Amino acid sequence: MAHEVEMRALAEYLGQHNLKHTKQRELVLAAFLEARRHVSSEDLYQVVREKYPNVGYTTVYRTMKLLVEAGLATERHFDDGITRYEIEHEHHDHLVCIKCGKIQEFECRMIEESQREIAARYGFRILRHRHELYGHCTECSEIADRA
Amino acid sequence: MAHEVEMRALAEYLGQHNLKHTKQRELVLAAFLEARRHVSSEDLYQVVREKYPNVGYTTVYRTMKLLVEAGLATERHFDDGITRYEIEHEHHDHLVCIKCGKIQEFECRMIEESQREIAARYGFRILRHRHELYGHCTECSEIADRA
DNA sequence: TTCGGTGCAAAAGATTTGCATATGT
DNA sequence: ACATATGCAAATCTTTTGCACCGAA
């Protein structure tokens, strides 16, 4: 079984919270880790279904919420209204191609610094943020130019 | 009638597109302009209903989409999944208080510059962006500290 | 044996659509 | 007159919830 670290983290979380270690939770976590991209519950449901057709929608939705609680996943809301998940990691923002849907992560120290400055200016205490740049990626720009 | 400029802009857009100038469209636009904050279609529906109880949900939803087309309003998606609208104007981002819901706009040249730099680095052509900082505003921070 | 988990179906909440009717142009 | 707009109800789409049954501890 791959993903030993994450599987152990899940087991630990479940143990500490008197929750049960089930096949379904393991399957959803594995599918999520293997996806290596921003996936929706629907996406994961489809993947899990291929091998285990008796797993329900509900379980996938509930398990993703659980993984967020456990600190293994982060919820993301892009502009199409569908909730997507990514593997938990900090300090990054997103470039979203509105043609092909590709999502590219980026980091920028300068922006982080500016955010702190803005927060100070308005007396806000920042807990989290969203920063998404929407447009066309290199490939899609080229296609548009040729047309 | 207040909002002469915007009313004229609406009339112009309607004329140019073979659309009709109706009482409902005027009412929704007036309610939107008077709100002076980020409002949802539901909010506007409630306001319009007070004076004109026979206006339907559907008309408000459709009219807000029309106002976006006409360049009078901009659609915003914050993290609660409800679509809100603001008066069209550029170059600003948002501070959102997750306790009281207050939304404060801000502008930052430094961030805009960084965005251009990031776009260049990844070969993206940026068309629009979202940048929202979520946390506690001054008042809500103070209340939390006192507790 | 005992709770928590699962899966189905039904509910929920926001928004859209079909359709008969009403209304600008 | 004619095409578009309206308003209701029903449909949609994503996500959540109720509940009887199942299964991990």
Coordinates of all heavy atoms in Angstrom, one line a residue, chain A residues 10 13 29 32 61-76 83-86 88:
Chain A
L10 N -4.1 9.4 8.9 CA -5.5 9.2 9.0 C -5.9 8.3 10.1 O -6.7 8.6 11.0 CB -6.0 8.6 7.7 CG -7.5 8.2 7.7 CD1 -8.4 9.4 7.9 CD2 -7.9 7.5 6.3
Y13 N -5.6 10.1 13.4 CA -6.7 11.0 13.6 C -8.0 10.3 14.0 O -8.7 10.7 14.9 CB -7.0 11.9 12.3 CG -8.1 12.8 12.5 CD1 -7.9 14.1 13.0 CD2 -9.4 12.5 12.1 CE1 -9.0 15.0 13.2 CE2 -10.5 13.4 12.3 CZ -10.2 14.6 12.9 OH -11.3 15.5 13.0
L29 N -9.2 8.3 0.5 CA -7.9 9.0 0.7 C -6.9 8.6 -0.4 O -6.3 9.5 -0.9 CB -7.4 8.6 2.1 CG -6.0 9.1 2.4 CD1 -5.8 10.7 2.2 CD2 -5.6 8.8 3.8
F32 N -7.8 10.3 -3.6 CA -7.4 11.8 -3.5 C -5.9 12.0 -3.6 O -5.5 12.9 -4.4 CB -7.9 12.3 -2.1 CG -7.4 13.6 -1.7 CD1 -7.7 14.7 -2.5 CD2 -6.6 13.8 -0.6 CE1 -7.2 16.0 -2.2 CE2 -6.1 15.1 -0.3 CZ -6.4 16.2 -1.1
Y61 N -18.4 12.5 0.0 CA -18.5 13.9 0.5 C -18.2 14.0 2.0 O -17.4 14.8 2.4 CB -20.0 14.4 0.3 CG -20.3 15.0 -1.0 CD1 -20.9 14.2 -2.0 CD2 -20.0 16.3 -1.3 CE1 -21.1 14.8 -3.3 CE2 -20.3 16.9 -2.5 CZ -20.8 16.1 -3.5 OH -21.1 16.7 -4.7
R62 N -18.6 13.0 2.7 CA -18.4 13.0 4.2 C -16.9 12.8 4.4 O -16.3 13.4 5.3 CB -19.2 12.0 4.9 CG -20.7 12.4 5.0 CD -21.5 11.6 6.0 NE -21.9 10.3 5.4 CZ -23.2 9.9 5.4 NH1 -24.1 10.6 6.1 NH2 -23.5 8.7 4.9
T63 N -16.3 11.9 3.7 CA -14.9 11.6 3.9 C -14.0 12.8 3.6 O -13.0 13.1 4.3 CB -14.4 10.4 3.1 OG1 -15.3 9.3 3.4 CG2 -13.0 10.0 3.4
M64 N -14.3 13.5 2.5 CA -13.5 14.7 2.2 C -13.6 15.7 3.3 O -12.6 16.3 3.6 CB -13.9 15.3 0.9 CG -13.5 14.4 -0.4 SD -11.8 13.7 -0.3 CE -10.8 15.2 -0.3
K65 N -14.7 15.9 3.9 CA -14.9 16.8 5.0 C -14.0 16.3 6.2 O -13.3 17.1 6.9 CB -16.3 17.0 5.5 CG -17.2 17.6 4.5 CD -18.2 18.6 5.1 CE -18.9 19.5 4.1 NZ -18.0 20.5 3.5
L66 N -14.0 15.0 6.4 CA -13.2 14.4 7.4 C -11.7 14.7 7.2 O -10.9 15.0 8.1 CB -13.4 12.9 7.5 CG -12.6 12.1 8.5 CD1 -13.2 12.3 9.9 CD2 -12.6 10.6 8.1
L67 N -11.3 14.5 5.9 CA -9.8 14.7 5.6 C -9.4 16.2 5.8 O -8.3 16.4 6.2 CB -9.6 14.3 4.1 CG -9.7 12.8 3.8 CD1 -9.3 12.5 2.4 CD2 -9.0 11.9 4.8
V68 N -10.4 17.1 5.6 CA -10.1 18.5 5.9 C -9.9 18.6 7.4 O -8.9 19.3 7.8 CB -11.2 19.4 5.4 CG1 -11.0 20.8 5.9 CG2 -11.2 19.4 3.8
E69 N -10.8 18.1 8.2 CA -10.7 18.1 9.6 C -9.4 17.6 10.1 O -8.7 18.1 11.0 CB -11.8 17.3 10.3 CG -13.2 17.9 10.2 CD -13.2 19.3 10.9 OE1 -12.8 19.4 12.1 OE2 -13.7 20.3 10.3
A70 N -8.9 16.5 9.4 CA -7.7 15.8 9.8 C -6.5 16.5 9.4 O -5.4 16.1 9.6 CB -7.8 14.4 9.3
G71 N -6.7 17.6 8.6 CA -5.5 18.3 8.1 C -4.8 17.7 6.9 O -3.7 18.1 6.6
L72 N -5.4 16.8 6.3 CA -4.8 16.1 5.1 C -5.2 16.8 3.8 O -4.5 16.7 2.8 CB -5.2 14.6 5.1 CG -4.6 13.8 6.1 CD1 -5.3 12.5 6.3 CD2 -3.1 13.5 5.7
A73 N -6.3 17.5 3.8 CA -6.8 18.1 2.6 C -7.3 19.6 2.9 O -7.5 19.9 4.0 CB -8.0 17.3 2.0
T74 N -7.3 20.4 1.9 CA -7.8 21.7 2.0 C -8.9 21.9 1.0 O -8.8 21.5 -0.2 CB -6.7 22.8 1.7 OG1 -5.6 22.4 2.5 CG2 -7.2 24.2 2.1
E75 N -10.0 22.6 1.4 CA -11.1 22.9 0.5 C -10.8 24.2 -0.3 O -10.3 25.1 0.2 CB -12.3 23.2 1.4 CG -13.6 22.6 0.8 CD -14.8 22.8 1.8 OE1 -14.8 22.1 2.8 OE2 -15.6 23.7 1.5
R76 N -11.1 24.1 -1.6 CA -10.9 25.3 -2.5 C -12.2 25.6 -3.2 O -12.8 24.7 -3.7 CB -9.8 25.0 -3.5 CG -8.4 24.9 -2.9 CD -7.8 26.3 -2.7 NE -6.6 26.2 -1.9 CZ -5.9 27.2 -1.4 NH1 -6.5 28.4 -1.5 NH2 -4.8 27.0 -0.8
T83 N -16.9 22.6 -5.2 CA -15.8 22.6 -4.2 C -14.8 21.6 -4.7 O -15.1 20.4 -5.0 CB -16.5 22.1 -2.9 OG1 -17.5 22.9 -2.5 CG2 -15.4 22.0 -1.8
R84 N -13.5 22.0 -4.6 CA -12.4 21.1 -5.0 C -11.5 21.0 -3.8 O -11.5 21.8 -2.9 CB -11.6 21.6 -6.2 CG -12.4 21.5 -7.5 CD -11.5 21.9 -8.6 NE -12.2 21.6 -9.9 CZ -13.2 22.3 -10.3 NH1 -13.7 23.3 -9.6 NH2 -13.8 22.0 -11.5
Y85 N -10.7 19.9 -3.8 CA -9.8 19.7 -2.7 C -8.4 19.6 -3.2 O -8.1 19.1 -4.3 CB -10.2 18.4 -1.9 CG -11.5 18.5 -1.3 CD1 -12.7 18.1 -2.0 CD2 -11.6 19.0 0.0 CE1 -13.9 18.2 -1.4 CE2 -12.9 19.1 0.6 CZ -14.0 18.7 -0.1 OH -15.3 18.9 0.5
E86 N -7.4 20.0 -2.4 CA -6.0 19.8 -2.7 C -5.3 19.3 -1.5 O -5.8 19.4 -0.4 CB -5.4 21.1 -3.2 CG -5.3 22.2 -2.2 CD -4.6 23.4 -2.7 OE1 -4.5 23.7 -3.9 OE2 -4.1 24.2 -1.8
E88 N -3.1 19.3 1.5 CA -2.8 20.4 2.4 C -1.3 20.9 2.3 O -0.4 20.1 2.5 CB -3.0 20.0 3.9 CG -2.5 20.9 5.0 CD -3.1 22.2 5.0 OE1 -4.3 22.4 4.6 OE2 -2.4 23.2 5.5

